[in-house]
Amino acid sequence: MIQTAAARRVGFLLYFLLIISLFFIVTAIGCSNNQFRELDVVQRQIRSVLELPSYEHVYHEVIYLGEESSFLGIKTRDKRLLFSLDMHVLAGIDLDKGIKLIPGKKGSLEVTLPPPAVLLIDADEESIHQYFILERGSAVTQTDFYREIEASKASIMEDALQRGILQKARENARDMVRSILQGAGFSDIRFAEARSES
């Protein structure tokens, strides 16, 4: 199940960073008559963010662990655990990989951003809720918890990619960069796809 409260928190944080960035950009550029002379200033301001975490999915995962062993038909170990937790998947643009701002004719500006990527998959340990635990012959350890959490990350990543997290991160990152550039006085802003390095 995807929750939207965390996405709203990330959105608020992103817009807060955007407002601060706009303030510094407008202050740095001032009332320049030649906007394109200031492109390097704008580029440095955008790059100073380094990562634009522009979209987040929150998954509520229910995880079951069951291990048992027996000797001569007698069960010697029976370890079972059922718990849930929230997993955060954060996608965005790593601006440390480069951003290009190329001025065009009649005041246009072409922007090339790196492709979006999943920046983080992390468990919210405070959200862990244990439904039941059974420990016969062996105790459930913290290592058991972490191993099961790590094992669930691959399926969560696949689901997030299928739901279009990278496309949404690209759209949101472009909206943020467009807002920064419009605040700096540019109106005709076009985005180009970054070429893959293969």
Side-chain angles (χ1 to χ4, degrees), residues 13 31 52 83 85 105-107 126 129 142 148 165 173:
L13 177 63
C31 299
L52 288 177
F83 68 99
L85 80 163
K105 295 179 180 178
K106 298 181 182 177
E126 293 181 6
H129 177 74
Q142 287 291 102
E148 296 302 316
I165 192 170

Side-chain angles (χ1 to χ4, degrees), residues 17-29:
L17 288 173
L18 177 65
I19 289 170
I20 290 175
S21 296
L22 281 173
F23 172 77
F24 284 117
I25 289 170
V26 171
T27 302
I29 292 176

Side-chain angles (χ1 to χ4, degrees), residues 135-158:
E135 300 172 306
R136 288 184 186 155
S138 180
V140 174
T141 64
Q142 287 291 102
T143 304
D144 294 322
F145 274 97
Y146 293 132
R147 185 181 67 239
E148 296 302 316
I149 291 169
E150 283 298 316
S152 70
K153 287 183 178 181
S155 63
I156 289 172
M157 165 85 93
E158 183 179 341

Side-chain angles (χ1 to χ4, degrees), residues 17 29-31 35 44 79-80 85 117 126 181 185 188:
L17 288 173
I29 292 176
C31 299
Q35 295 172 330
R44 281 197 303 272
K79 181 165 63 172
R80 300 180 191 277
L85 80 163
E126 293 181 6
L181 292 171
D188 186 6

Side-chain angles (χ1 to χ4, degrees), residues 3 58-64 81-88 122-133 140-150 152:
Q3 300 173 350
V58 179
Y59 288 83
H60 186 71
E61 283 289 292
V62 178
I63 298 175
Y64 174 73
L81 173 66
L82 182 67
F83 68 99
S84 67
L85 80 163
D86 293 337
M87 298 283 284
H88 297 262
D122 196 25
D124 179 3
E125 294 187 14
E126 293 181 6
S127 70
I128 293 177
H129 177 74
Q130 185 175 299
Y131 295 106
F132 74 80
I133 186 169
V140 174
T141 64
Q142 287 291 102
T143 304
D144 294 322
F145 274 97
Y146 293 132
R147 185 181 67 239
E148 296 302 316
I149 291 169
E150 283 298 316
S152 70

Side-chain angles (χ1 to χ4, degrees), residues 54-119:
S54 55
Y55 201 80
E56 180 180 41
H57 279 184
V58 179
Y59 288 83
H60 186 71
E61 283 289 292
V62 178
I63 298 175
Y64 174 73
L65 163 69
E67 295 178 359
E68 60 181 81
S69 59
S70 58
F71 180 72
L72 299 175
I74 300 170
K75 193 176 287 187
T76 57
R77 181 172 65 104
D78 192 2
K79 181 165 63 172
R80 300 180 191 277
L81 173 66
L82 182 67
F83 68 99
S84 67
L85 80 163
D86 293 337
M87 298 283 284
H88 297 262
V89 184
L90 190 63
I93 305 288
D94 184 354
L95 294 178
D96 199 31
K97 292 182 179 176
I99 176 174
K100 293 180 183 175
L101 302 176
I102 303 171
K105 295 179 180 178
K106 298 181 182 177
S108 66
L109 184 65
E110 182 179 280
V111 181
T112 304
L113 297 174
V118 173
L119 304 174

Side-chain angles (χ1 to χ4, degrees), residues 169-186:
R170 177 187 289 112
E171 292 167 13
N172 289 350
R174 285 181 175 183
D175 288 344
M176 290 173 62
V177 171
R178 184 181 289 110
S179 296
I180 291 171
L181 292 171
Q182 286 173 343
F186 296 95

